[in-house]
Amino acid sequence: MRHLRQHLPGRRYHHGGGDGSRQGRRGQVSDFKALDGNQAVAEAMRQINPDVVAAYPITPQTEAVQVFSQFVADGEVDTEFVTVESEHSAMSACVGAGAAGARVMTCTSSAGLAFMWEITYIAASMRLPIVMMVANRALSGPINIHCDHSDSMGARDNGWVQLFSESPEEAYDNMIQAVRIAEHPDLMLPVMVMQDGFITSHAMERVEVFDDQAVRDFVGTYTPRYSVLDVENPLTFGPLDFYVYYFEHKRQQVEAFSHAKDVILEVAADFNRRFNRNYGLMEAYRLDDADVALVALSSTAGTAKVVVDELRGQGVKAGLLKPRVFRPFPAEEMVEALSHVKAVAVMDRSISFGSMANAGPLFLEMAAAFYVNGNGSKVPMVDYVYGLGGRDIGPSEIESVYMDLLRIADGGEVPNLVTYLGVRE
Amino acid sequence: MPRAKGWRELPIGGIIDEPGSARELETGAWRAFRPVVDQEKCINCLQCWMFCPDMSVRVEDSKMVGFDLYHCKGCGICASICPVDAITMVVETEAAKEGEVK
Amino acid sequence: MATQTSTPTRLTLRDLSKKSDRLTSGHRMCPGCAAPLVVKQVLMAIDEPVVVTCATGCLEVATTIFPQTAWNVPFIHNAFENSASTASGIEAAYRSLVRQGKIEDNNTRFVAFGGDGGTYDIGLQALSGAMERGHRMLYVCYDNNAYMNTGIQRSSATPLGANTTTSPAGKVVPGKRGMRKDLTAIMAAHNIPYVAQASPHNWRDLMQKVRKATAVDGPAFMNVLSSCNRGWRHDADETIEMQRLAVDTCMWPLYEVEDGEWRVTYKPKEKLPVTEYLKPQGRFRHLFQPGNQHLIDELQQEVDTRWERLLKLAGES
């Protein structure tokens, strides 16, 4: 899965027609459209044509809901759109509709995800394959509408599969794949698809949109295992579950997650076969021969690629590892991908307050992964918490991180385990 | 109690797929007082059936034929609302001693 | 969302007794609890298939302890505050799947249950939203006047002066302060096709209301008084009598609001003083102690005012 996505989004297609459309490997037609991340997600939702969407507007996700509402109003989808009065009810209605055997989707951000919290656990434990786009935004307080990852990172243990997207196109692709991942019989788990609020949700880029029918063929039809609408075989959903069985039900969720990596890769392989875009659990960018490497999620990885290219031009062997999947966490794969480098910097767009050295969640996962899977490897690893509340992260900041790594790789002291990058003293 | 199942044996999602399976539970064991009907007095108005919160008044062909003592919790609503006082509540231990089952 | 004029069929116990139980015996509600009676009567009144949602509360925990369920119809409990929004999702899914031809339309009715805690308080927003959106569902609040599942804490449905564990009658504070919220009127203000207040002691009135509520093409709300002998502190066999007294004192008037038309469905021949209702219940015992008479007076005055207002709305005064 490494090496396969060597270029920035929008620069990696070789067989485009002059009219903006192209013929894919299996005769599928696609179009290049200028879409921002929210529009791209709404477009994916239109093509998927879910049975029910229950959603509530929140900045910066609002546009996705608005655009989809227009699709509903124009009869372009069969979806029942439940215009709930809160995110709590959005997720509650999704659970009801999911239990009724419908294909269900929603979108949220920040406080909206926090308000859904209780019900996200219930969705996961009821094994409902709900797909939700999260336009990552900082949590209050103080209130802030811009990007960081504290919302979905806080939800990392709620029982959802989590996919992070670098660009509008990745958000589009991830939404489509999420349906298949969620509904896979071995999983039956809800899936969160993240993109960076404003940075990609509102940034217009070229997105290759596939033919409607091709997308519908890919996602296929959903046959629910259980339905609360089955009046012939009445089922009880959501019973009171004491200590006699609660643990067994949690064990079943663990079992589903133990299949999740395989399922994600299987779905990605089929996606690649049909649409000629290759996804894995992560993306390695110029990492194979790298001396120093960054680990970064979502749009920051895109910025880092530019820096990597520049540094390579200067003869610095810089590399990048971009996790696509945070839950299930691809611990072994990430350690293997980084085992040869001399120093690693993890970029965290949120803080796990009170954790070891007040680091970010991605760093904590990576530290644990190296301890367990690293075969005693002592690759120096540092954490950079950055970009909170939408604080800009540019190529110069990322370059400074690589410079730190080079010093560490050179045998220099590890200055700080955790650095808060760009905060004023 | 039957053996508790392991996680591999259970349907996923916390589903219960046996409707009405609570009938297995002997809530009649909670009872301190037992309803006893005098069939001579009973006019089969079925009020006791309607007001039983435990679905424990047995009706066959529109006739009140007794109580489901496996489930009856002995609340006494049936006796209190019976318009002809055909139902009396007797102390469970004594009723059981007399072997007056059903 | 016009109401389909429904002439309620004559309900007889003889016919009803032939129906199979939709909530079965073996549930673990307390002896003498009225909530299973409410459920029994509501579901028995509906001839069509039903799907039930339920808020967290006594009814849910006592009927679904894994691996047994007392429900003989499809049932879902999601959380405490979202019985209405869960039902919204189910109803939306049903409409979507039927419209797309993915499932058959079998006239399924959607009934959401919640206690007063899950309805008046924590679930009010979800309920209001669901009603405003126009989902075809019947929401039934079984109002036992307090958070009984957690051990008798006051809710906004608790009457003035009632002794609960979070509004205890003490040396300085004589029980619950303030009047109860008039939720039925709040729901009527949503201008939905059908709203009613009922009591299971008058089963025929309750069941006819359910039949009207489930015949409308839109949302319906019913508030049903549901005695909790543990919390109200009366004997288990007095449940039906307490319900009757609540209605005959006009503490709990039986009425309906059908397409905006208010109608009192039962008028006591003789309106009893509220003390008739208060006296047999331990939760009000302290009101009869010296110095607390004014609370009884206030309660009586409030009941009279609300009753007069209701009669006026119903065009009866």
Side-chain angles (χ1 to χ4, degrees):
Chain A
M1 78 207 102
R2 289 186 236 159
H3 298 302
L4 291 160
R5 308 196 64 214
Q6 296 283 320
H7 303 280
L8 291 173
R11 280 205 267 136
R12 79 188 110 141
Y13 305 110
H14 338 288
H15 38 192
D19 59 352
S21 69
R22 73 173 173 101
Q23 197 82 11
R25 264 186 221 175
R26 292 176 41 152
Q28 314 286 14
V29 174
S30 68
D31 272 311
F32 289 98
K33 294 187 178 177
L35 298 174
D36 68 28
N38 278 330
Q39 293 164 346
V41 164
E43 186 69 2
M45 289 168 71
R46 181 188 64 73
Q47 296 183 313
I48 293 161
N49 192 19
D51 300 311
V52 174
V53 167
Y56 188 78
I58 180 169
T59 304
Q61 149 271 35
T62 310
E63 188 194 19
V65 178
Q66 280 177 199
V67 173
F68 189 75
S69 301
Q70 194 64 50
F71 293 145
V72 174
D74 293 338
E76 290 188 41
V77 286
D78 297 310
T79 310
E80 275 295 326
F81 184 33
V82 188
T83 49
V84 280
E85 81 299 328
S86 72
E87 287 91 353
H88 193 284
S89 282
M91 189 46 62
S92 299
C94 284
V95 165
R103 181 175 272 165
V104 186
M105 303 181 95
T106 186
C107 304
T108 195
S109 271
S110 182
L113 178 57
F115 196 24
M116 288 178 178
W117 215 260
E118 176 196 22
I119 314 302
T120 61
Y121 278 88
I122 293 168
S125 74
M126 234 181 249
R127 308 295 294 279
L128 302 175
I130 298 162
V131 170
M132 170 163 68
M133 187 273 278
V134 178
N136 283 135
R137 163 184 156 183
L139 281 168
S140 300
I143 188 169
N144 175 292
I145 58 167
H146 291 282
C147 177
D148 71 33
H149 296 165
S150 48
D151 49 5
S152 54
M153 279 302 169
R156 65 194 184 274
D157 292 338
N158 297 17
W160 288 55
V161 170
Q162 292 189 319
L163 308 177
F164 282 82
S165 325
E166 179 185 324
S167 62
E169 188 169 84
E170 284 197 9
Y172 169 83
D173 291 351
N174 278 335
M175 286 298 279
I176 293 167
Q177 292 178 65
V179 174
R180 284 267 301 268
I181 294 165
E183 293 170 4
H184 193 285
D186 290 346
L187 259 59
M188 293 299 289
L189 291 172
V191 179
M192 255 179 234
V193 173
M194 266 62 77
Q195 63 172 318
D196 281 349
F198 285 112
I199 300 166
T200 61
S201 71
H202 285 59
M204 199 157 285
E205 286 189 11
R206 192 173 74 152
V207 176
E208 188 192 18
V209 173
F210 307 118
D211 178 63
D212 286 0
Q213 194 53 49
V215 173
R216 284 177 195 188
D217 289 347
F218 177 78
V219 296
T221 51
Y222 170 48
T223 310
R225 198 174 306 185
Y226 305 112
S227 170
V228 79
L229 293 178
D230 185 356
V231 292
E232 301 300 323
N233 304 289
L235 299 170
T236 288
F237 287 71
L240 175 62
D241 204 14
F242 282 132
Y243 41 77
V244 187
Y245 282 103
Y246 180 87
F247 207 167
E248 279 66 29
H249 287 125
K250 293 295 125 184
R251 177 64 184 83
Q252 290 180 329
Q253 285 177 252
V254 171
E255 184 65 12
F257 266 97
S258 76
H259 299 294
K261 282 196 284 194
D262 288 344
V263 168
I264 291 165
L265 291 173
E266 179 189 317
V267 171
D270 190 34
F271 190 83
N272 190 30
R273 255 195 308 278
R274 294 178 192 233
F275 301 119
N276 200 21
R277 278 213 280 270
N278 197 16
Y279 286 90
L281 302 171
M282 58 208 182
E283 179 190 345
Y285 187 77
R286 306 187 83 159
L287 188 60
D288 257 15
D289 62 341
D291 288 334
V292 289
L294 234 66
V295 179
L297 291 161
S298 296
S299 67
T300 307
T303 313
K305 285 172 184 171
V306 176
V307 178
V308 167
D309 287 347
E310 279 171 8
L311 290 173
R312 287 275 174 170
Q314 297 163 24
V316 176
K317 287 186 170 177
L320 171 74
L321 185 61
K322 180 188 77 177
R324 170 186 178 226
V325 181
F326 189 78
R327 285 286 181 266
F329 192 74
E332 294 164 43
E333 293 83 352
M334 293 193 47
V335 168
E336 195 209 322
L338 293 167
S339 55
H340 63 284
V341 300
K342 293 174 185 154
V344 176
V346 177
M347 304 295 290
D348 263 300
R349 204 158 196 161
S350 62
I351 300 174
S352 177
F353 291 107
S355 68
M356 178 177 67
N358 288 300
L362 183 55
F363 178 81
L364 297 169
E365 292 282 344
M366 291 298 300
F370 265 102
Y371 185 83
V372 174
N373 299 298
N375 265 332
S377 130
K378 286 272 185 188
V379 178
M381 188 164 66
V382 287
D383 190 21
Y384 288 83
V385 173
Y386 73 99
L388 301 190
R391 176 67 51 89
D392 202 21
I393 175 109
S396 59
E397 284 93 6
I398 291 175
E399 194 181 327
S400 77
V401 173
Y402 276 112
M403 292 304 118
D404 288 353
L405 286 181
L406 288 173
R407 277 191 292 277
I408 294 168
D410 251 4
E413 291 274 297
V414 175
N416 293 304
L417 191 59
V418 181
T419 302
Y420 301 102
L421 189 66
V423 74
R424 290 182 301 278
E425 291 302 327
Chain B
M1 281 289 278
R3 182 189 67 88
K5 288 178 177 169
W7 64 267
R8 291 174 198 278
E9 304 169 90
L10 298 170
I12 62 165
I15 305 287
I16 303 177
D17 56 8
E18 288 180 59
S21 47
R23 286 198 186 99
E24 296 162 17
L25 304 165
E26 190 184 356
T27 50
W30 302 5
R31 198 170 53 240
F33 293 93
R34 175 186 295 197
V36 178
V37 62
D38 180 348
Q39 294 287 9
E40 300 288 304
K41 285 190 188 171
C42 176
I43 55 169
N44 292 307
C45 68
L46 306 187
Q47 297 278 328
C48 55
W49 170 82
M50 172 52 87
F51 289 117
C52 176
D54 290 296
M55 283 55 86
S56 296
V57 173
R58 294 169 55 229
V59 173
E60 286 168 16
D61 297 328
S62 307
K63 300 251 184 321
M64 191 282 191
V65 297
F67 298 98
D68 167 7
L69 292 176
Y70 189 79
H71 294 115
C72 166
K73 295 170 188 159
C75 68
I77 287 178
C78 53
S80 75
I81 55 94
C82 178
V84 293
D85 292 328
I87 300 170
T88 46
M89 300 303 290
V90 300
V91 174
E92 177 65 22
T93 46
E94 285 170 21
K97 226 181 286 168
E98 285 166 28
E100 196 206 298
V101 181
K102 266 200 262 193
Chain C
M1 257 182 334
T3 306
Q4 295 168 6
T5 319
S6 55
T7 318
T9 38
R10 176 97 188 127
L11 298 163
T12 68
L13 291 174
R14 194 176 274 259
D15 291 341
L16 292 170
S17 70
K18 294 183 180 113
K19 289 190 151 193
S20 59
D21 296 330
R22 286 177 151 175
L23 177 69
T24 69
S25 52
H27 66 72
R28 278 159 277 188
M29 301 293 271
C30 299
C33 174
L37 275 181
V38 174
V39 173
K40 172 182 176 172
Q41 293 180 6
V42 167
L43 297 185
M44 205 190 290
I46 303 169
D47 295 328
E48 296 84 2
V50 291
V51 173
V52 170
T53 65
C54 188
T56 311
C58 294
L59 178 62
E60 175 263 326
V61 303
T63 56
T64 68
I65 304 176
F66 195 91
Q68 282 102 2
T69 178
W71 296 89
N72 231 346
V73 290
F75 172 95
I76 182 169
H77 156 254
N78 188 346
F80 192 9
E81 63 286 54
N82 62 2
S83 188
S85 38
T86 306
S88 301
I90 297 171
E91 190 263 358
Y94 181 80
R95 265 188 292 135
S96 177
L97 297 173
V98 165
R99 186 163 34 76
Q100 296 178 72
K102 291 181 179 175
I103 60 169
E104 270 181 51
D105 187 355
N106 56 3
N107 283 317
T108 298
R109 297 295 188 256
F110 303 96
V111 181
F113 288 105
D116 48 292
T119 308
Y120 283 67
D121 290 349
I122 198 168
L124 182 59
Q125 173 182 310
L127 172 62
S128 178
M131 297 288 112
E132 181 270 333
R133 289 190 298 273
H135 296 279
R136 183 173 184 157
M137 66 160 87
L138 166 61
Y139 190 104
V140 178
C141 173
Y142 68 100
D143 177 355
N144 54 27
N145 290 185
Y147 291 83
M148 298 310 186
N149 190 39
T150 42
I152 321 167
Q153 291 80 35
R154 63 89 85 186
S155 75
S156 58
T158 306
L160 174 76
N163 185 351
T164 74
T165 56
T166 50
S167 66
K171 285 174 188 150
V172 185
V173 182
K176 198 251 188 177
R177 299 187 205 232
M179 299 295 169
R180 62 197 307 278
K181 187 188 280 179
D182 190 353
L183 181 67
T184 315
I186 293 169
M187 298 322 296
H190 281 68
N191 293 320
I192 53 176
Y194 192 80
V195 172
Q197 203 161 273
S199 164
H201 85 276
N202 193 338
W203 59 268
R204 191 173 271 126
D205 177 78
L206 184 150
M207 289 174 68
Q208 281 172 347
K209 285 170 176 167
V210 171
R211 289 169 83 87
K212 285 186 180 187
T214 51
V216 299
D217 186 16
F221 173 82
M222 283 180 63
N223 206 356
V224 183
L225 188 67
S226 179
S227 157
C228 165
N229 56 70
R230 308 282 298 163
W232 295 12
R233 294 182 220 163
H234 60 74
D235 287 342
D237 66 347
E238 292 176 325
T239 295
I240 301 302
E241 185 56 17
M242 285 314 122
Q243 303 264 160
R244 192 187 316 278
L245 286 168
V247 171
D248 281 342
T249 55
C250 296
M251 286 280 293
W252 190 264
L254 304 185
Y255 66 96
E256 63 187 5
V257 188
E258 201 173 357
D259 282 331
E261 294 289 321
W262 294 64
R263 196 168 75 85
V264 177
T265 60
Y266 169 85
K267 241 198 257 184
K269 283 192 191 78
E270 184 200 352
K271 180 167 168 276
L272 300 175
V274 291
T275 47
E276 295 292 307
Y277 177 65
L278 305 179
K279 248 183 218 156
Q281 300 182 42
R283 62 177 171 156
F284 297 118
R285 186 168 300 134
H286 59 288
L287 298 185
F288 295 91
Q289 284 163 5
N292 284 339
Q293 176 63 37
H294 69 282
L295 290 167
I296 296 176
D297 295 343
E298 280 173 41
L299 199 53
Q300 182 67 62
Q301 200 175 9
E302 180 75 8
V303 166
D304 293 346
T305 306
R306 288 191 188 190
W307 175 244
E308 288 304 320
R309 193 191 301 147
L310 176 63
L311 290 176
K312 201 180 269 181
L313 284 164
E316 297 206 20
S317 67

